[in-house]
Amino acid sequence: MSTTIEQLDRIVRTAHEAFAAARDVAPRTRANWLEAIATALEGAGDELLALAHEETHLPEGRLRGELARTVFQIRLFADEVLRGEPLDATIDHVDPSWGMGPRPDLRRVNFPLGVVGVFGSSNFPFAFSVMGGDSVSGLAAGCGVVHKIHDAHEKLGQRTAEIVIQALQAAGAPRGLFATVIGRPAGEELVTHRLVRAIGFTGSTQVGRLLLDRAAARPEPIPFYGELASINPVFVTQRAWQARKEEILREYVGSYTLGMGQFCTKPGLLFVPQLDMATSRILQAAVAAVQPAQMLTSALAGGYRKVRDEMRHRPKVEVLVAGDDGDSPAPTLLTTSVAAVLENRDILAEEMFGPASIIVQYDDESQLTQVAATLDGQLTTTVQAEPGEQLTELISELQARSGRVIWNAWPTGVTVTYAQQHGGPYPATTAAGTTSVGTAAVRRFLRPVSYQGFPDEALPLALQENNPWGIMRRVDGEWQHASKVAK
Amino acid sequence: MSTTIEQLDRIVRTAHEAFAAARDVAPRTRANWLEAIATALEGAGDELLALAHEETHLPEGRLRGELARTVFQIRLFADEVLRGEPLDATIDHVDPSWGMGPRPDLRRVNFPLGVVGVFGSSNFPFAFSVMGGDSVSGLAAGCGVVHKIHDAHEKLGQRTAEIVIQALQAAGAPRGLFATVIGRPAGEELVTHRLVRAIGFTGSTQVGRLLLDRAAARPEPIPFYGELASINPVFVTQRAWQARKEEILREYVGSYTLGMGQFCTKPGLLFVPQLDMATSRILQAAVAAVQPAQMLTSALAGGYRKVRDEMRHRPKVEVLVAGDDGDSPAPTLLTTSVAAVLENRDILAEEMFGPASIIVQYDDESQLTQVAATLDGQLTTTVQAEPGEQLTELISELQARSGRVIWNAWPTGVTVTYAQQHGGPYPATTAAGTTSVGTAAVRRFLRPVSYQGFPDEALPLALQENNPWGIMRRVDGEWQHASKVAK
C-alpha cells in the first residue's frame, strides 16, 4: 500500500521534530539507541531471515551473513559516536599574535543536517535497506531518517521497520526519528520535501539520475548521495596469468556469478592474455558448474536478459558460454579483444546486472594502461599480479577512476571498517568525495558550525573547555587524544 | 580581452596534465610551491596594492590588510600540507577476528579531484580572487586550478596571475598547474568542460544559481561550491540594550558601512527593542558621520540603489537615514517592526549589497526566537548579550540556519584558522557541509581512495607501513601522532 503525499508530509514533519528534539543528546544516548536497534534485529533474526528468503530468493547462508554484517555495522557506528569521531571538534583559542591579526576564540563542531531520505536497494535486503548503511549513517549523524522501502522486499522492509521503531521507542528516542514510506510517488516527494536535507540512494543509473536531477532543481538544492553503476574491471598481468591462470579463472567465475551477479561490485570485465582452446574449455566447465538460482525479481531478470543480449550482439563480441533466460538464468560468459573495446566504448560502459561478464583478451600488457585510461568512474578496480611487479602507471590510472583499488583479491565482498571507501567518480556514484560504506559514511549527513567568542557555558558540550564528553579534538592546530584531557 | 573557448580548452587540458604530473609529489614539495607563491606576492606588494586601489577604489589600509591575510592564508595551507592533514590517511590491518568476518588490509588516503575551476569575487581583490581561498585550497589539495578573473579588477588579476605563475615555475611546479581565464563565455565553459571536476564560486545568487544548474546538468555532474547571499542578522537582547545601547549602535554602524557595506558578512539586520527619539538621533548622527567612498563598480552601485529603493518602499519599512545615490552613496538606514518582517518575509530574504541595513524593533524578546526560526540560510548570525544570559532556544535556531554564530562581536572580519566555518545553508552557500575559509576548505577538492591487499612498496607513500612522510594517521581505529611513528 503506497504512502500518500499527505502521509509523507506528516512523516517528514514528525521526523524533523524528532531530529530537533534529539539534536543535542549526549553521544552515550545516541549510541544506546543504535545498540538497541542492533540487539532487536539480532533477536528477530530467524523471523527476518525467513521473510528475506521468501521475497529475495537469496540463500539463507548469504542472508545470515548479510544480517550479521548489518548488525555489526550498527554497533561500529555506535562506537564511532561514542568516540566523538563524527563531531570533528576543533578549538582555536584567542590568539593576539595570530599571523593575519588577532584571532578571536573560535570553535567548530558538526551538527546533523536534519531529516535525510534514504532509498533502499533491491539486492541487499539488510545491508543497504531499512537499517542499512545509509540509515545507520543518518542516525549516527543525529539526523531524522525517512526510508523508502524497496518494493522488491516490502514485507521484510515493513517488518524490519516495525522492529527498529519499537526498539528506538523502548530506548527512549523521540517518536518518528526513523520512519518508512512505500511507493514511487512518496519516493519522488521525499526528494523534494522542503524539510528533507539530503538523500542516500542505491540503485540504477536511470532512477538515480532522475532523482539527482530532482534534488538539484529544488529551490534549495540538497546533496544527493547516489550509488549507481559500476563494471569493476579486473586486470590480470602476464606474469600472474602464467603463474596461476586456473586459480584466477576459478575465482573470477565464483566472483561474477556470486549471488547471481547481483552485486554492485560484480567483476563485469576480466582482462587477460589470449585464451587458448584448453583454457576456454576450463572456463566453460567452471561456468557450467554454477548452479543457477532465482534472481531477485522477474523485472530484474528481464532487464538483465535485455542488456546481456544487446551486449552479445555488439561487433566483435563472442559467446564463450551462452547461459539462458528466465528467472533463474544459467550464467553467460562473453569475450572480446582489447582492440574491440578501444573501438567500441559501449562494451566498457554498460553494466549487466546479473550473472554475465566479459573476458577481454589482450596482446600486450601495455594495452591495460591504455584501456584503463578510458574507463568511466568505478566503485572498484582490481589487479591480479605477482610479487615485485611494478604497475605504477596502471595503478595510477585505476586510482584516478575508482574508489577502491584491489590487489590479488576480488571486488565482491566489502568490509565495513575505518578505511573503507565505497564510492568513485560518476557514474559509480554522484558524490565521489564520499563513501556509503565504512565509518566515514556518517560525514555525508553533517554540517559544521563555528561558535565565535562564546562564554563556555553557552557552548555545545563537545566544545566546552573541559571536554565533558572526553572526545578527540584539534586544539590550536594540535590533535588531543581524549585520554589527555579532563573527562 | 576575453579567453576563447578554444583557449580555455587548451588551458584546462594543460592544467590536467600538470595536475597528473604533480599528483604524487611529497608534501614538502607542494608546500614549497605554496611558499614560493606567498613570497612572490609579498615581494610585489606595493605594485599590486597600487593596481588594486586603482581598480577597486578600496582604501590602501584595507587592501594592505587583505593582502597580508592572503599571504598568511597561503602559508597556513602550506603548513597543513606538511602536516598531512588533507590526506586523512587511515589504515586497517588484516584482522581475522573482525566482527563481520575476516578483514583484509585496507588503507585509505585522499587524492586531488583533478582540475578545479575558481571564480573570483568583486569585493575581495586578493583574499577571494586570483590567489584567494579557493585557489589556494585547490593547489593545497593537489588540484590544477583554472581561475576566472573578475572583470571588476582585471589588470590586478592578470598581474597577480603573472607573479603566481612565475613563482610556481621558478619553484619547479609543472607548467600550467595554475592558469587564468577572462570573460563570461570562458567562465560558462569552465563549468561544463569535461576535465573540470569541481567549481569554487563567490558572487551573486543569480549568477551562482545559473552556474550551479549548469554544473548539475552535465553528463557527469560536479560539485559546485558557491557562496551566494547572506543577510547576517544581529540579535540584541533587552539586557545588552540596557547595558550598552550606544556602544552597540556605534559598532553596528561601523560594521554595516565598513568597506561601503560590500562584505558578504555585512550585518543587514539588527534586532533591538523599541527605539526612542533620542536613540534614533544618536543613530542618525553616527550614520551621517560616515565618510562615503566609491563603490567597487558603477554596476554594483546601480544594483545597490535598485534593491535598496525596493526595500524602502516595502510596507511598514521606514527611513531613518535616507542616504543618497551615485558611485559613492552616503549610507542608508531603514527601520521596521518584528510584526512587519513576520508578515513580509521579503524583508528578511533580500541582501542589499552596499551601505544599507535595517533595524527591526521588537516588543518582546521572545519574538527573536520566533523570527530566527523563519530565517533563510546565513553565513553568520550574531547575538549581543550580557554575561549569564540563557539564550538556548535562540542560539539553537541560529545554529540551525548559519555557518558561524557570534557572541558579542560583529560578523565582518573572518579569521583564517582551523576552526573557521565560512558557509551555511542555501542560499548562503550551495554546499552547507563545506567551508570556503579556514584550513577545512581544502577538503572540498579531495576524493578518498582505498587500497586493498597491496604490497607495501606499491602503496602511496602516505599509506606505507613505516609512515615515510611522518604524518598523523588513524590506524586500526586509533589516531597516531606523527611523532609516535617511525619517520
Side-chain angles (χ1 to χ4, degrees):
Chain A
M1 213 166 55
S2 283
T3 309
T4 65
I5 303 300
E6 291 69 30
Q7 287 169 331
L8 175 110
D9 179 61
R10 217 158 39 236
I11 288 166
V12 171
R13 284 169 188 274
T14 307
H16 180 80
E17 282 162 28
F19 141 75
R23 195 179 47 191
D24 301 318
V25 302
R28 166 54 67 194
T29 306
R30 204 176 298 288
N32 286 350
W33 297 347
L34 294 174
E35 177 59 40
I37 296 172
T39 304
L41 292 179
E42 232 170 15
D46 288 339
E47 180 195 353
L48 294 176
L49 289 167
L51 273 175
H53 178 68
E54 183 191 322
E55 288 190 303
T56 66
H57 324 297
L58 292 169
E60 202 214 313
R62 141 76 198 271
L63 288 169
R64 197 170 285 280
E66 190 187 326
L67 180 57
R69 166 191 169 171
T70 304
V71 167
F72 170 78
Q73 177 167 272
I74 298 169
R75 294 202 167 115
L76 187 65
F77 275 93
D79 186 53
E80 287 289 283
V81 168
L82 273 183
R83 287 165 179 256
E85 281 291 332
L87 300 170
D88 193 29
T90 306
I91 294 176
D92 295 322
H93 291 106
V94 167
D95 185 349
S97 63
W98 188 238
M100 62 171 274
R103 181 175 80 184
D105 186 277
L106 200 65
R107 297 166 187 239
R108 189 186 66 222
V109 69
N110 283 335
F111 277 89
L113 288 180
V115 176
V116 303
V118 171
F119 288 75
S121 78
S122 63
N123 60 338
F124 279 91
F126 296 114
F128 287 80
S129 288
V130 169
M131 202 34 59
D134 285 352
S135 292
V136 73
S137 306
L139 290 177
C143 292
V145 174
V146 178
H147 178 96
K148 185 195 167 274
I149 292 177
H150 199 287
D151 55 15
H153 44 78
E154 217 174 277
K155 276 192 284 185
L156 172 68
Q158 286 182 299
R159 184 64 191 123
T160 309
E162 280 168 14
I163 292 164
V164 167
I165 289 165
Q166 200 169 25
L168 280 171
Q169 199 174 333
R175 193 179 65 86
L177 187 67
F178 176 82
T180 53
V181 296
I182 288 180
R184 184 173 166 160
E188 289 179 352
E189 184 66 13
L190 186 56
V191 178
T192 47
H193 195 288
R194 73 176 179 83
L195 287 175
V196 173
R197 296 303 164 85
I199 297 290
F201 171 90
T202 310
S204 72
T205 304
Q206 199 195 347
V207 177
R209 184 64 197 246
L210 204 85
L211 295 177
L212 166 66
D213 291 344
R214 279 182 85 91
R218 290 167 53 116
E220 307 179 23
I222 55 172
F224 184 90
Y225 303 111
E227 184 192 321
L228 311 184
S230 187
I231 323 282
N232 308 296
V234 178
F235 298 84
V236 183
T237 66
Q238 290 273 11
R239 282 183 51 201
W241 188 245
Q242 279 151 23
R244 46 193 176 88
K245 185 196 302 186
E246 292 192 26
E247 175 196 330
I248 287 170
L249 290 176
R250 194 180 64 241
E251 291 177 354
Y252 160 66
V253 171
S255 183
Y256 97 76
T257 62
L258 186 71
M260 291 297 281
Q262 300 168 116
F263 284 104
C264 46
T265 52
K266 179 199 80 174
L269 290 164
L270 182 77
F271 291 84
V272 300
Q274 297 298 326
L275 292 176
D276 56 29
M277 290 294 287
T279 312
S280 295
R281 275 196 295 272
I282 293 171
L283 254 174
Q284 286 160 337
V287 176
V290 175
Q291 187 63 42
Q294 196 172 338
M295 289 187 68
L296 291 162
T297 68
S298 293
L300 276 174
Y304 160 68
R305 177 183 170 172
K306 184 164 169 289
V307 69
R308 182 207 56 188
D309 287 351
E310 275 169 22
M311 186 65 82
R312 89 169 145 205
H313 291 112
R314 289 214 159 87
K316 298 180 190 163
V317 172
E318 288 167 34
V319 175
L320 271 172
V321 180
D324 61 15
D325 298 330
D327 284 356
S328 308
T332 293
L333 188 58
L334 308 176
T335 190
T336 189
S337 66
V338 163
V341 301
L342 287 172
E343 262 170 47
N344 182 357
R345 283 198 72 260
D346 287 355
I347 301 174
L348 295 179
E350 190 72 63
E351 181 181 10
M352 297 183 283
F353 193 80
S357 187
I358 308 175
I359 294 187
V360 185
Q361 303 177 47
Y362 66 81
D363 307 304
D364 180 332
E365 207 170 290
S366 70
Q367 292 171 319
L368 296 185
T369 304
Q370 204 185 338
V371 172
T374 74
L375 287 172
D376 285 338
Q378 306 289 338
L379 292 172
T380 74
T381 51
T382 300
V383 294
Q384 292 283 343
E386 288 302 286
E389 284 203 84
Q390 293 284 332
L391 303 169
T392 316
E393 281 184 41
L394 175 61
I395 300 290
S396 176
E397 294 294 349
L398 299 181
Q399 171 276 314
R401 284 165 186 78
S402 53
R404 179 164 55 117
V405 190
I406 300 160
W407 183 285
N408 283 358
W410 297 89
T412 41
V414 181
T415 191
V416 181
T417 184
Y418 312 104
Q420 186 57 274
Q421 171 61 19
H422 191 66
Y426 192 91
T429 79
T430 61
T434 67
T435 180
S436 65
V437 178
T439 56
V442 70
R443 300 177 189 172
R444 295 172 299 164
F445 301 124
L446 294 163
R447 181 175 75 80
V449 177
S450 290
Y451 291 79
Q452 181 177 328
F454 264 60
D456 200 57
E457 69 278 8
L459 283 167
L461 290 167
L463 297 178
Q464 290 184 3
E465 195 61 22
N466 68 351
N467 197 0
W469 287 346
I471 56 176
M472 174 115 171
R473 312 196 289 192
R474 193 176 186 193
V475 180
D476 298 326
E478 305 301 330
W479 287 98
Q480 292 188 352
H481 281 277
S483 56
K484 287 196 181 171
V485 293
K487 283 245 182 183
Chain B
M1 213 165 56
S2 284
T3 309
T4 66
I5 302 301
E6 292 69 31
Q7 287 169 329
L8 174 111
D9 179 60
R10 216 157 40 235
I11 287 166
V12 171
R13 284 170 188 274
T14 307
H16 180 80
E17 282 163 27
F19 142 74
R23 195 179 47 190
D24 301 318
V25 302
R28 167 53 69 195
T29 306
R30 204 175 298 287
N32 286 348
W33 296 346
L34 294 173
E35 178 58 41
I37 295 172
T39 304
L41 291 179
E42 233 169 15
D46 288 340
E47 180 195 353
L48 294 176
L49 289 167
L51 272 175
H53 178 67
E54 182 192 322
E55 288 190 304
T56 66
H57 324 296
L58 293 169
E60 202 214 313
R62 141 77 198 270
L63 289 169
R64 196 170 286 282
E66 189 186 326
L67 181 57
R69 166 190 169 172
T70 305
V71 168
F72 170 78
Q73 176 166 272
I74 298 169
R75 294 201 167 116
L76 187 66
F77 275 92
D79 186 53
E80 286 289 282
V81 169
L82 272 182
R83 287 165 178 257
E85 281 291 332
L87 300 170
D88 192 29
T90 306
I91 294 175
D92 294 323
H93 291 106
V94 166
D95 184 350
S97 64
W98 188 238
M100 62 170 275
R103 182 175 79 184
D105 185 278
L106 200 65
R107 298 167 188 239
R108 188 187 67 221
V109 70
N110 284 334
F111 277 89
L113 289 180
V115 177
V116 302
V118 172
F119 288 74
S121 78
S122 63
N123 59 339
F124 279 91
F126 295 114
F128 287 81
S129 287
V130 169
M131 201 35 58
D134 285 351
S135 292
V136 72
S137 306
L139 289 177
C143 291
V145 174
V146 177
H147 178 96
K148 185 194 167 276
I149 292 177
H150 199 287
D151 55 16
H153 44 78
E154 217 174 278
K155 276 193 284 187
L156 172 68
Q158 286 183 300
R159 185 64 191 122
T160 309
E162 280 169 15
I163 292 164
V164 166
I165 289 165
Q166 199 169 25
L168 280 171
Q169 199 173 333
R175 195 179 64 86
L177 186 68
F178 175 81
T180 54
V181 296
I182 288 180
R184 184 172 167 161
E188 289 180 351
E189 183 66 14
L190 186 57
V191 178
T192 46
H193 195 288
R194 75 176 178 84
L195 287 175
V196 172
R197 295 303 164 85
I199 297 291
F201 171 89
T202 310
S204 72
T205 304
Q206 198 195 348
V207 176
R209 184 64 197 246
L210 204 86
L211 295 177
L212 167 65
D213 290 343
R214 279 182 83 91
R218 290 167 52 119
E220 307 179 24
I222 55 172
F224 183 89
Y225 303 111
E227 184 193 320
L228 312 183
S230 186
I231 324 280
N232 308 296
V234 178
F235 298 83
V236 183
T237 66
Q238 290 273 10
R239 282 184 52 202
W241 187 245
Q242 278 152 24
R244 47 193 175 89
K245 184 196 303 186
E246 291 191 27
E247 175 195 330
I248 287 170
L249 290 176
R250 195 180 64 241
E251 290 178 354
Y252 161 65
V253 171
S255 183
Y256 98 76
T257 62
L258 186 71
M260 290 298 281
Q262 300 168 115
F263 284 103
C264 46
T265 52
K266 179 198 80 175
L269 289 164
L270 181 78
F271 291 84
V272 300
Q274 298 297 326
L275 293 176
D276 55 32
M277 290 294 286
T279 312
S280 294
R281 275 196 294 273
I282 292 171
L283 254 174
Q284 286 160 336
V287 176
V290 175
Q291 188 62 43
Q294 196 173 338
M295 289 187 68
L296 291 162
T297 67
S298 292
L300 277 175
Y304 160 67
R305 177 183 170 173
K306 183 162 169 291
V307 69
R308 182 206 58 189
D309 287 352
E310 276 168 22
M311 186 66 81
R312 90 169 144 203
H313 291 112
R314 289 213 159 88
K316 299 180 190 163
V317 172
E318 288 166 35
V319 176
L320 272 173
V321 180
D324 61 15
D325 298 331
D327 285 355
S328 308
T332 292
L333 188 58
L334 307 175
T335 189
T336 190
S337 66
V338 163
V341 302
L342 287 172
E343 262 171 47
N344 182 357
R345 282 199 71 261
D346 288 355
I347 300 174
L348 295 179
E350 189 72 63
E351 181 182 9
M352 298 184 282
F353 193 79
S357 187
I358 307 176
I359 293 187
V360 184
Q361 302 177 50
Y362 65 82
D363 306 305
D364 180 330
E365 207 171 289
S366 69
Q367 292 171 319
L368 296 184
T369 305
Q370 204 186 338
V371 171
T374 73
L375 287 172
D376 285 337
Q378 306 289 339
L379 292 171
T380 74
T381 51
T382 301
V383 293
Q384 292 283 342
E386 289 302 287
E389 285 203 82
Q390 292 285 332
L391 303 169
T392 316
E393 281 184 42
L394 175 61
I395 300 290
S396 176
E397 295 294 349
L398 299 182
Q399 171 277 314
R401 284 164 185 80
S402 54
R404 179 165 56 116
V405 191
I406 301 161
W407 183 286
N408 283 358
W410 297 89
T412 41
V414 181
T415 191
V416 181
T417 184
Y418 311 104
Q420 185 58 274
Q421 172 60 19
H422 192 65
Y426 192 90
T429 78
T430 60
T434 66
T435 180
S436 65
V437 178
T439 55
V442 70
R443 300 178 189 171
R444 296 172 298 164
F445 301 124
L446 294 163
R447 181 175 74 80
V449 177
S450 289
Y451 292 78
Q452 181 178 327
F454 265 59
D456 200 58
E457 69 279 7
L459 282 167
L461 290 168
L463 296 178
Q464 290 185 3
E465 195 60 23
N466 68 352
N467 196 1
W469 287 346
I471 57 175
M472 175 112 171
R473 312 195 290 192
R474 193 175 186 193
V475 180
D476 297 328
E478 305 302 330
W479 288 97
Q480 293 189 350
H481 281 277
S483 57
K484 287 198 180 169
V485 294
K487 283 242 184 186

